[in-house]
Amino acid sequence: MQQALTELVNFGFSEARAREALSNIGDVTDTQLAINWLLDHGEEDKGGAVQFKHCPHIAEFEPGQLLRKESLTFGKPCQAGCKGTENWVCLMCGETNCGRYMHRHALQHWQQTKAEQEKSLTVGEAAAGVQRRGHCLCIGLMDLSVWCYECESYVQHEVLQPIVAQMQRLKFGEPVDTTPEPAPGSPMPATNAKVAHGFLGDPSWPMPSLVRACSEDARPGYKTMKAHEYMDQPEVLRAKVKLLADLIRRSQHCVAYTGAGISTASGIRDYATKASGSVASAASKSPWCAAPTLAHHTLVALHSTGYLKHWVQQNHDGLPQKAGYPQKHINEIHGAWWDPSNPVVPMDGTLRGDLIEWMLEWEEKADLCLALGTSMVGMNSDRMALAPAQRAQRQPKAAALGTVICALQQTQYDQVSSLRIFAPLDELMRLLAEEMSLEVAQTPWRAQRWTEPVEVPYDANGRLSATQKMRLDLRPGSRLRLVRQPGWDKERHGEICQVVEAPEVLAEAGHVELLFDGDGFKKKTTRFLGGWWIEAAIRGEVASIPVVPA
């Protein structure tokens, strides 16, 4: 007990409160449980005693799977009749249960719901890496902190902020927002037509109509708008497509800047979609098995015909490459699921320096930006859309054509756009391909299977070479060393990885899986879009490959 007591005091808790915590948890050697008890009973974090984790599991939930804030209640007793105030409300179903310092009914609720969900897991889903999480999120009524049983941690996430704020209002008797949702079919409430059509649009065009109402913030904690979804009238959409085609034809340095909205039609979930029955949503699937959308294929057609020069991709999903877009012309600025040399950047990570420089180069060069499916809530990369828009505003007759924004939700930059389009991206791209007579190929993507090593035109440092070749072995058991890996990722996971046998379903989706040694706690796996990378490397289309033999 003395060692745990000393640790708690060193964390900044008073000795009296530390003793009280240890006497209440049962196991006097469990320092972390004592810290949790203190935080649950009114103490503040004393400079690092506990870390709030950004919960990754929320991204897997279907729209509506989390409890809506209007359904929250405060002050109910444990559903099993347990006495006490240390209760937790399930954020999936709203059930109130007692916590770990009573009879652990909240923990049992998660275990039971997870076991029940796992009964419906198919063999194919299991092979694809699908997991059932059960009702893993709950909020404590003592300090309104959120716990994730899957993370085994207190968690934070932008999606949780409205829920916590609502529970705070209920707990302290503050007024609750009871404003009714606007009616579907009503016109967008805007006093300036530029917000709806852009400054090149016709002010006489009808305003977009509300198709799905949701008064929640699209991206809580950022410079966000409400999650209402709007669509242009069909005749207005066609007029906007003609104007868009004209801008693309006139552009010399057209850039695409895409967000999660371009991939929702493939079944990959996003954070900003909140409306029930969203126009953008499709049946969810494993992101490893997702196929590119018509919008991805149309951007590839724009590139192959010389119109689209560069693509800045906020997503991590590899769908542009699966659609056939050359790696050397795409900047995956926030990291990629499929590229171990460019891991997805966590909240405490940093963007890769060379990718930032590349982005700044195109920020200055772009005369037209197609901002597609992005909320643009204040990320550093939003400069790709803002810079050409500002240049066009300052000098309307200059070469800058500005920024075209297409998204169902409003954004903070709508009023500075050259053209603002409210439509599903696949529908917009279908009309654009028709207007520009583009040949859009939608051949299903398949990568080669790795049965033998291959020779690629790179030197031992992973640099493209006209004279040297490297033997690259991506068969299970091969060990590899990463190149161009960010320092923070190398420190966490090491630079050496080993190819492991991928589940059959995922292997057919076109990847190999890499396992990083780490130190046990930091071990991770990542996928590698091997087939496309190597095919591209053989054609000499990339500047470097992400892995070289260890």
Side-chain angles (χ1 to χ4, degrees):
M1 176 176 178
Q2 187 58 44
Q3 181 178 351
L5 182 65
T6 301
E7 290 182 19
L8 292 171
V9 171
N10 288 340
F11 275 130
F13 299 107
S14 71
E15 183 174 343
R17 287 291 278 168
R19 289 184 182 277
E20 183 182 2
L22 292 171
S23 66
N24 275 280
I25 63 173
D27 183 356
V28 296
T29 65
D30 194 334
T31 305
Q32 187 58 55
L33 189 60
I35 290 171
N36 293 340
W37 187 93
L38 287 162
L39 295 176
D40 290 343
H41 290 79
E43 290 292 317
E44 295 182 357
D45 182 10
K46 304 297 183 177
V50 67
Q51 290 185 346
F52 281 78
K53 183 176 181 179
H54 187 268
C55 180
H57 306 109
I58 292 176
E60 302 173 12
F61 298 154
E62 298 280 351
Q65 195 169 343
L66 276 178
L67 202 67
R68 293 183 66 86
K69 63 180 183 181
E70 307 88 67
S71 303
L72 289 169
T73 58
F74 182 88
K76 287 186 175 181
C78 173
Q79 59 89 32
C82 303
K83 296 182 180 180
T85 58
E86 193 269 307
N87 291 328
W88 295 78
V89 176
C90 174
L91 293 183
M92 319 295 281
C93 69
E95 188 175 287
T96 301
N97 289 286
C98 64
R100 57 196 149 201
Y101 313 121
M102 291 291 291
H103 298 292
R104 302 190 176 189
H105 286 127
L107 171 64
Q108 293 170 22
H109 176 67
W110 165 64
Q111 292 170 335
Q112 291 168 359
T113 54
K114 181 171 182 175
E116 189 65 30
Q117 289 178 4
E118 287 176 339
K119 291 178 182 179
S120 64
L121 197 64
T122 67
V123 174
E125 288 174 330
V130 175
Q131 297 188 47
R132 297 290 186 247
R133 304 297 181 186
H135 292 191
C136 62
L137 289 170
C138 57
I139 185 169
L141 299 185
M142 289 289 292
D143 62 355
L144 305 184
S145 57
V146 178
W147 180 269
C148 176
Y149 286 104
E150 289 289 313
C151 293
E152 296 185 338
S153 173
Y154 290 101
V155 294
Q156 295 173 329
H157 196 286
E158 61 184 71
V159 172
L160 299 173
Q161 293 178 17
I163 295 174
V164 175
Q166 178 81 339
M167 190 63 88
Q168 184 174 10
R169 287 191 288 266
L170 292 171
K171 179 174 183 177
F172 297 106
E174 298 173 1
V176 177
D177 184 9
T178 58
T179 304
E181 297 278 22
S186 58
M188 178 185 293
T191 57
N192 188 339
K194 292 180 182 178
V195 173
H197 306 312
F199 69 82
L200 294 180
D202 187 339
S204 68
W205 284 337
M207 299 297 281
S209 296
L210 181 70
V211 290
R212 297 291 186 273
C214 183
S215 295
E216 295 184 31
D217 287 344
R219 297 293 301 269
Y222 296 92
K223 297 177 181 177
T224 189
M225 307 290 281
K226 298 301 180 184
H228 301 307
E229 296 179 1
Y230 297 91
M231 285 180 58
D232 283 315
Q233 301 298 325
E235 66 276 9
V236 175
L237 178 57
R238 286 191 174 275
K240 289 183 176 181
V241 168
K242 289 183 179 294
L243 184 51
L244 172 60
D246 178 65
L247 290 172
I248 293 174
R249 291 188 183 104
R250 290 163 53 196
S251 172
Q252 298 299 310
H253 299 287
C254 181
V255 174
Y257 177 55
T258 59
I262 196 174
S263 298
T264 52
S266 73
I268 297 177
R269 315 312 311 180
D270 68 339
Y271 291 148
T273 299
K274 302 288 194 304
S276 178
S278 168
V279 174
S281 297
S284 63
K285 63 174 64 176
S286 167
W288 313 117
C289 299
T293 67
L294 177 62
H296 290 101
H297 286 287
T298 305
L299 290 179
V300 170
L302 284 171
H303 173 78
S304 63
T305 50
Y307 291 117
L308 182 63
K309 301 299 195 297
H310 188 64
W311 189 338
V312 179
Q313 157 90 320
Q314 295 182 80
N315 303 335
H316 324 298
D317 51 35
L319 295 186
Q321 293 94 321
K322 285 184 177 181
Y325 200 87
Q327 184 71 34
K328 69 176 181 178
H329 292 298
I330 189 167
N331 185 344
E332 294 171 292
I333 188 65
H334 291 163
W337 291 331
W338 298 96
D339 180 357
S341 73
N342 186 24
V344 174
V345 183
M347 292 298 179
D348 58 346
T350 54
L351 301 179
R352 228 173 69 177
D354 59 325
L355 298 183
I356 293 177
E357 292 178 6
W358 198 19
M359 179 177 69
L360 295 178
E361 174 190 342
W362 275 96
E363 175 193 342
E364 293 298 319
K365 187 184 298 186
D367 59 359
L368 177 65
C369 176
L370 308 181
L372 308 175
T374 172
S375 300
M376 294 186 289
V377 292
M379 303 295 180
N380 187 13
S381 55
D382 288 348
R383 62 199 310 142
M384 288 304 306
L386 185 57
Q390 290 176 331
R391 284 197 291 270
Q393 290 280 341
R394 289 194 303 266
Q395 300 173 318
K397 294 182 180 180
L401 301 173
T403 295
V404 176
I405 300 174
C406 183
L408 293 169
Q409 298 172 349
Q410 294 178 288
T411 81
Q412 62 174 324
Y413 298 130
D414 290 351
Q415 62 184 356
V416 298
S417 63
S418 299
L419 182 62
R420 183 57 171 99
I421 302 174
F422 291 89
L425 283 174
D426 279 3
E427 174 65 10
L428 169 67
M429 290 303 182
R430 182 186 68 80
L431 294 173
L432 181 64
E434 179 183 301
E435 178 68 26
M436 299 186 68
S437 300
L438 297 174
E439 293 186 10
V440 179
Q442 289 188 268
T443 305
W445 178 84
R446 290 290 183 270
Q448 65 190 82
R449 301 296 295 274
W450 301 102
T451 57
E452 296 295 334
V454 294
E455 284 192 338
V456 292
Y458 292 86
D459 63 22
N461 294 315
R463 296 187 178 89
L464 187 65
S465 172
T467 59
Q468 300 184 51
K469 289 189 176 182
M470 180 180 67
R471 184 174 179 269
L472 186 62
D473 190 349
L474 290 175
R475 294 176 297 178
S478 299
R479 294 177 65 80
L480 307 162
R481 175 174 58 83
L482 299 193
V483 296
R484 301 176 69 183
Q485 182 188 18
W488 59 264
D489 191 66
K490 183 184 297 186
E491 182 178 346
R492 291 183 181 187
H493 306 293
E495 63 176 345
I496 304 300
C497 57
Q498 184 175 22
V499 180
V500 296
E501 190 70 58
E504 187 69 16
V505 171
L506 293 180
E508 290 181 357
H511 85 280
V512 295
E513 191 164 85
L514 308 176
L515 177 67
F516 289 76
D517 294 336
D519 60 3
F521 176 73
K522 297 177 181 177
K523 185 177 293 186
K524 72 166 183 176
T525 60
T526 187
R527 274 82 175 181
F528 173 49
L529 199 59
W532 191 89
W533 272 92
I534 297 306
E535 290 166 8
I538 292 172
R539 295 195 300 268
E541 291 188 355
V542 291
S544 66
I545 57 175
V547 290
V548 295

